[in-house]
PDB file of all heavy atoms in Angstrom:
ATOM      1  N   LEU H  39      -1.780 -12.691  -1.926  1.00 91.00           N
ATOM      2  CA  LEU H  39      -2.664 -12.750  -3.090  1.00 91.00           C
ATOM      3  C   LEU H  39      -4.112 -12.420  -2.710  1.00 91.00           C
ATOM      4  O   LEU H  39      -4.647 -12.976  -1.754  1.00 91.00           O
ATOM      5  CB  LEU H  39      -2.598 -14.152  -3.686  1.00 91.00           C
ATOM      6  CG  LEU H  39      -2.998 -14.276  -5.155  1.00 91.00           C
ATOM      7  CD1 LEU H  39      -2.113 -13.413  -6.032  1.00 91.00           C
ATOM      8  CD2 LEU H  39      -2.938 -15.739  -5.599  1.00 91.00           C
ATOM      9  N   GLY H  40      -4.687 -11.486  -3.432  1.00 89.00           N
ATOM     10  CA  GLY H  40      -6.084 -11.137  -3.199  1.00 89.00           C
ATOM     11  C   GLY H  40      -6.310 -10.180  -2.049  1.00 89.00           C
ATOM     12  O   GLY H  40      -7.459  -9.889  -1.697  1.00 89.00           O
ATOM     13  N   GLN H  41      -5.238  -9.692  -1.467  1.00 93.00           N
ATOM     14  CA  GLN H  41      -5.348  -8.776  -0.332  1.00 93.00           C
ATOM     15  C   GLN H  41      -4.678  -7.452  -0.649  1.00 93.00           C
ATOM     16  O   GLN H  41      -3.803  -7.389  -1.512  1.00 93.00           O
ATOM     17  CB  GLN H  41      -4.680  -9.379   0.907  1.00 93.00           C
ATOM     18  CG  GLN H  41      -5.219 -10.729   1.327  1.00 93.00           C
ATOM     19  CD  GLN H  41      -6.627 -10.650   1.846  1.00 93.00           C
ATOM     20  OE1 GLN H  41      -6.992  -9.723   2.565  1.00 93.00           O
ATOM     21  NE2 GLN H  41      -7.445 -11.623   1.481  1.00 93.00           N
ATOM     22  N   GLY H  42      -5.066  -6.428   0.083  1.00 95.00           N
ATOM     23  CA  GLY H  42      -4.330  -5.178  -0.002  1.00 95.00           C
ATOM     24  C   GLY H  42      -3.088  -5.253   0.878  1.00 95.00           C
ATOM     25  O   GLY H  42      -2.930  -6.186   1.671  1.00 95.00           O
ATOM     26  N   PRO H  43      -2.207  -4.293   0.753  1.00 97.00           N
ATOM     27  CA  PRO H  43      -1.015  -4.277   1.621  1.00 97.00           C
ATOM     28  C   PRO H  43      -1.409  -4.200   3.098  1.00 97.00           C
ATOM     29  O   PRO H  43      -2.359  -3.505   3.467  1.00 97.00           O
ATOM     30  CB  PRO H  43      -0.294  -2.998   1.190  1.00 97.00           C
ATOM     31  CG  PRO H  43      -0.772  -2.725  -0.200  1.00 97.00           C
ATOM     32  CD  PRO H  43      -2.186  -3.193  -0.225  1.00 97.00           C
ATOM     33  N   GLU H  44      -0.665  -4.936   3.946  1.00 96.00           N
ATOM     34  CA  GLU H  44      -0.905  -4.926   5.390  1.00 96.00           C
ATOM     35  C   GLU H  44       0.357  -4.415   6.087  1.00 96.00           C
ATOM     36  O   GLU H  44       1.461  -4.880   5.799  1.00 96.00           O
ATOM     37  CB  GLU H  44      -1.228  -6.335   5.891  1.00 96.00           C
ATOM     38  CG  GLU H  44      -2.514  -6.908   5.312  1.00 96.00           C
ATOM     39  CD  GLU H  44      -2.693  -8.363   5.696  1.00 96.00           C
ATOM     40  OE1 GLU H  44      -1.919  -9.208   5.203  1.00 96.00           O
ATOM     41  OE2 GLU H  44      -3.603  -8.658   6.490  1.00 96.00           O
ATOM     42  N   PHE H  45       0.154  -3.512   7.012  1.00 95.00           N
ATOM     43  CA  PHE H  45       1.260  -2.881   7.713  1.00 95.00           C
ATOM     44  C   PHE H  45       2.043  -3.882   8.553  1.00 95.00           C
ATOM     45  O   PHE H  45       1.470  -4.734   9.238  1.00 95.00           O
ATOM     46  CB  PHE H  45       0.707  -1.774   8.627  1.00 95.00           C
ATOM     47  CG  PHE H  45       1.704  -1.192   9.580  1.00 95.00           C
ATOM     48  CD1 PHE H  45       2.638  -0.264   9.140  1.00 95.00           C
ATOM     49  CD2 PHE H  45       1.709  -1.559  10.913  1.00 95.00           C
ATOM     50  CE1 PHE H  45       3.556   0.276  10.024  1.00 95.00           C
ATOM     51  CE2 PHE H  45       2.616  -1.018  11.800  1.00 95.00           C
ATOM     52  CZ  PHE H  45       3.546  -0.100  11.353  1.00 95.00           C
ATOM     53  N   LEU H  46       3.381  -3.776   8.484  1.00 96.00           N
ATOM     54  CA  LEU H  46       4.247  -4.604   9.327  1.00 96.00           C
ATOM     55  C   LEU H  46       4.959  -3.787  10.399  1.00 96.00           C
ATOM     56  O   LEU H  46       4.898  -4.103  11.583  1.00 96.00           O
ATOM     57  CB  LEU H  46       5.300  -5.318   8.472  1.00 96.00           C
ATOM     58  CG  LEU H  46       4.802  -6.393   7.510  1.00 96.00           C
ATOM     59  CD1 LEU H  46       5.971  -6.968   6.726  1.00 96.00           C
ATOM     60  CD2 LEU H  46       4.059  -7.489   8.262  1.00 96.00           C
ATOM     61  N   THR H  47       5.675  -2.715   9.966  1.00 96.00           N
ATOM     62  CA  THR H  47       6.443  -1.943  10.913  1.00 96.00           C
ATOM     63  C   THR H  47       6.809  -0.590  10.316  1.00 96.00           C
ATOM     64  O   THR H  47       6.678  -0.378   9.114  1.00 96.00           O
ATOM     65  CB  THR H  47       7.704  -2.697  11.363  1.00 96.00           C
ATOM     66  OG1 THR H  47       8.322  -2.001  12.448  1.00 96.00           O
ATOM     67  CG2 THR H  47       8.718  -2.827  10.221  1.00 96.00           C
ATOM     68  N   TYR H  48       7.283   0.314  11.185  1.00 94.00           N
ATOM     69  CA  TYR H  48       7.493   1.701  10.777  1.00 94.00           C
ATOM     70  C   TYR H  48       8.676   2.280  11.551  1.00 94.00           C
ATOM     71  O   TYR H  48       8.811   2.061  12.754  1.00 94.00           O
ATOM     72  CB  TYR H  48       6.181   2.452  11.038  1.00 94.00           C
ATOM     73  CG  TYR H  48       6.230   3.921  11.340  1.00 94.00           C
ATOM     74  CD1 TYR H  48       6.935   4.804  10.550  1.00 94.00           C
ATOM     75  CD2 TYR H  48       5.497   4.431  12.415  1.00 94.00           C
ATOM     76  CE1 TYR H  48       6.944   6.166  10.829  1.00 94.00           C
ATOM     77  CE2 TYR H  48       5.499   5.790  12.697  1.00 94.00           C
ATOM     78  CZ  TYR H  48       6.218   6.647  11.908  1.00 94.00           C
ATOM     79  OH  TYR H  48       6.216   8.005  12.178  1.00 94.00           O
ATOM     80  N   PHE H  49       9.528   3.013  10.833  1.00 95.00           N
ATOM     81  CA  PHE H  49      10.676   3.688  11.422  1.00 95.00           C
ATOM     82  C   PHE H  49      10.572   5.199  11.213  1.00 95.00           C
ATOM     83  O   PHE H  49      10.157   5.661  10.152  1.00 95.00           O
ATOM     84  CB  PHE H  49      11.979   3.224  10.742  1.00 95.00           C
ATOM     85  CG  PHE H  49      12.362   1.815  11.026  1.00 95.00           C
ATOM     86  CD1 PHE H  49      11.836   0.766  10.264  1.00 95.00           C
ATOM     87  CD2 PHE H  49      13.246   1.505  12.039  1.00 95.00           C
ATOM     88  CE1 PHE H  49      12.186  -0.542  10.516  1.00 95.00           C
ATOM     89  CE2 PHE H  49      13.620   0.202  12.304  1.00 95.00           C
ATOM     90  CZ  PHE H  49      13.082  -0.824  11.541  1.00 95.00           C
ATOM     91  N   GLN H  50      10.986   5.926  12.231  1.00 93.00           N
ATOM     92  CA  GLN H  50      11.263   7.339  12.045  1.00 93.00           C
ATOM     93  C   GLN H  50      12.745   7.502  12.324  1.00 93.00           C
ATOM     94  O   GLN H  50      13.196   7.259  13.448  1.00 93.00           O
ATOM     95  CB  GLN H  50      10.436   8.221  12.976  1.00 93.00           C
ATOM     96  CG  GLN H  50      10.745   9.692  12.780  1.00 93.00           C
ATOM     97  CD  GLN H  50       9.608  10.597  13.197  1.00 93.00           C
ATOM     98  OE1 GLN H  50       8.481  10.455  12.735  1.00 93.00           O
ATOM     99  NE2 GLN H  50       9.902  11.527  14.086  1.00 93.00           N
ATOM    100  N   ASN H  51      13.485   7.877  11.318  1.00 93.00           N
ATOM    101  CA  ASN H  51      14.954   7.833  11.362  1.00 93.00           C
ATOM    102  C   ASN H  51      15.353   6.405  11.732  1.00 93.00           C
ATOM    103  O   ASN H  51      14.896   5.473  11.091  1.00 93.00           O
ATOM    104  CB  ASN H  51      15.489   8.890  12.312  1.00 93.00           C
ATOM    105  CG  ASN H  51      15.081  10.288  11.876  1.00 93.00           C
ATOM    106  OD1 ASN H  51      15.218  10.644  10.701  1.00 93.00           O
ATOM    107  ND2 ASN H  51      14.550  11.070  12.805  1.00 93.00           N
ATOM    108  N   GLU H  52      16.166   6.197  12.747  1.00 93.00           N
ATOM    109  CA  GLU H  52      16.587   4.829  13.069  1.00 93.00           C
ATOM    110  C   GLU H  52      15.691   4.165  14.096  1.00 93.00           C
ATOM    111  O   GLU H  52      15.856   2.982  14.399  1.00 93.00           O
ATOM    112  CB  GLU H  52      18.045   4.818  13.548  1.00 93.00           C
ATOM    113  CG  GLU H  52      18.289   5.544  14.863  1.00 93.00           C
ATOM    114  CD  GLU H  52      18.520   7.028  14.671  1.00 93.00           C
ATOM    115  OE1 GLU H  52      18.268   7.538  13.561  1.00 93.00           O
ATOM    116  OE2 GLU H  52      18.943   7.688  15.634  1.00 93.00           O
ATOM    117  N   ALA H  53      14.737   4.894  14.634  1.00 93.00           N
ATOM    118  CA  ALA H  53      13.874   4.353  15.685  1.00 93.00           C
ATOM    119  C   ALA H  53      12.679   3.604  15.103  1.00 93.00           C
ATOM    120  O   ALA H  53      11.929   4.149  14.300  1.00 93.00           O
ATOM    121  CB  ALA H  53      13.389   5.499  16.571  1.00 93.00           C
ATOM    122  N   GLN H  54      12.507   2.377  15.564  1.00 93.00           N
ATOM    123  CA  GLN H  54      11.347   1.573  15.158  1.00 93.00           C
ATOM    124  C   GLN H  54      10.198   1.936  16.081  1.00 93.00           C
ATOM    125  O   GLN H  54      10.210   1.591  17.265  1.00 93.00           O
ATOM    126  CB  GLN H  54      11.680   0.087  15.244  1.00 93.00           C
ATOM    127  CG  GLN H  54      10.622  -0.816  14.643  1.00 93.00           C
ATOM    128  CD  GLN H  54      11.068  -2.279  14.569  1.00 93.00           C
ATOM    129  OE1 GLN H  54      11.986  -2.686  15.267  1.00 93.00           O
ATOM    130  NE2 GLN H  54      10.430  -3.058  13.720  1.00 93.00           N
ATOM    131  N   LEU H  55       9.190   2.616  15.565  1.00 92.00           N
ATOM    132  CA  LEU H  55       8.146   3.189  16.396  1.00 92.00           C
ATOM    133  C   LEU H  55       6.930   2.283  16.578  1.00 92.00           C
ATOM    134  O   LEU H  55       6.200   2.433  17.551  1.00 92.00           O
ATOM    135  CB  LEU H  55       7.703   4.544  15.845  1.00 92.00           C
ATOM    136  CG  LEU H  55       8.780   5.636  15.828  1.00 92.00           C
ATOM    137  CD1 LEU H  55       8.162   6.979  15.438  1.00 92.00           C
ATOM    138  CD2 LEU H  55       9.469   5.742  17.181  1.00 92.00           C
ATOM    139  N   GLU H  56       6.677   1.408  15.619  1.00 89.00           N
ATOM    140  CA  GLU H  56       5.497   0.556  15.737  1.00 89.00           C
ATOM    141  C   GLU H  56       5.735  -0.751  15.007  1.00 89.00           C
ATOM    142  O   GLU H  56       6.363  -0.780  13.948  1.00 89.00           O
ATOM    143  CB  GLU H  56       4.253   1.251  15.169  1.00 89.00           C
ATOM    144  CG  GLU H  56       2.960   0.479  15.420  1.00 89.00           C
ATOM    145  CD  GLU H  56       1.716   1.213  14.953  1.00 89.00           C
ATOM    146  OE1 GLU H  56       1.799   2.399  14.591  1.00 89.00           O
ATOM    147  OE2 GLU H  56       0.642   0.573  14.952  1.00 89.00           O
ATOM    148  N   LYS H  57       5.229  -1.829  15.623  1.00 91.00           N
ATOM    149  CA  LYS H  57       5.296  -3.149  15.005  1.00 91.00           C
ATOM    150  C   LYS H  57       3.917  -3.769  15.035  1.00 91.00           C
ATOM    151  O   LYS H  57       3.248  -3.767  16.065  1.00 91.00           O
ATOM    152  CB  LYS H  57       6.271  -4.052  15.773  1.00 91.00           C
ATOM    153  CG  LYS H  57       7.726  -3.662  15.631  1.00 91.00           C
ATOM    154  CD  LYS H  57       8.612  -4.402  16.612  1.00 91.00           C
ATOM    155  CE  LYS H  57       8.582  -5.899  16.430  1.00 91.00           C
ATOM    156  NZ  LYS H  57       9.606  -6.579  17.269  1.00 91.00           N
ATOM    157  N   SER H  58       3.515  -4.348  13.910  1.00 91.00           N
ATOM    158  CA  SER H  58       2.225  -5.013  13.834  1.00 91.00           C
ATOM    159  C   SER H  58       2.297  -6.370  14.526  1.00 91.00           C
ATOM    160  O   SER H  58       3.363  -6.981  14.629  1.00 91.00           O
ATOM    161  CB  SER H  58       1.846  -5.200  12.367  1.00 91.00           C
ATOM    162  OG  SER H  58       0.859  -6.178  12.210  1.00 91.00           O
ATOM    163  N   ARG H  59       1.124  -6.844  14.945  1.00 88.00           N
ATOM    164  CA  ARG H  59       1.073  -8.209  15.497  1.00 88.00           C
ATOM    165  C   ARG H  59       1.379  -9.241  14.431  1.00 88.00           C
ATOM    166  O   ARG H  59       1.666 -10.403  14.730  1.00 88.00           O
ATOM    167  CB  ARG H  59      -0.307  -8.460  16.094  1.00 88.00           C
ATOM    168  CG  ARG H  59      -0.481  -7.836  17.463  1.00 88.00           C
ATOM    169  CD  ARG H  59      -1.886  -8.001  17.976  1.00 88.00           C
ATOM    170  NE  ARG H  59      -2.842  -7.192  17.243  1.00 88.00           N
ATOM    171  CZ  ARG H  59      -4.141  -7.165  17.501  1.00 88.00           C
ATOM    172  NH1 ARG H  59      -4.651  -7.902  18.443  1.00 88.00           N
ATOM    173  NH2 ARG H  59      -4.949  -6.397  16.789  1.00 88.00           N
ATOM    174  N   LEU H  60       1.308  -8.823  13.145  1.00 82.00           N
ATOM    175  CA  LEU H  60       1.670  -9.738  12.056  1.00 82.00           C
ATOM    176  C   LEU H  60       3.159 -10.070  12.092  1.00 82.00           C
ATOM    177  O   LEU H  60       3.590 -11.080  11.547  1.00 82.00           O
ATOM    178  CB  LEU H  60       1.361  -9.090  10.699  1.00 82.00           C
ATOM    179  CG  LEU H  60      -0.092  -8.889  10.314  1.00 82.00           C
ATOM    180  CD1 LEU H  60      -0.183  -8.127   8.994  1.00 82.00           C
ATOM    181  CD2 LEU H  60      -0.810 -10.215  10.183  1.00 82.00           C
TER     182      LEU H  60
END
Side-chain angles (χ1 to χ4, degrees):
Chain H
L39 203 59
Q41 303 292 320
E44 296 173 291
F45 170 78
L46 292 179
T47 189
Y48 152 50
F49 291 85
Q50 179 155 305
N51 300 312
E52 65 274 12
Q54 189 172 20
L55 297 188
E56 187 176 351
K57 290 169 61 172
S58 161
R59 281 175 290 180
L60 291 175

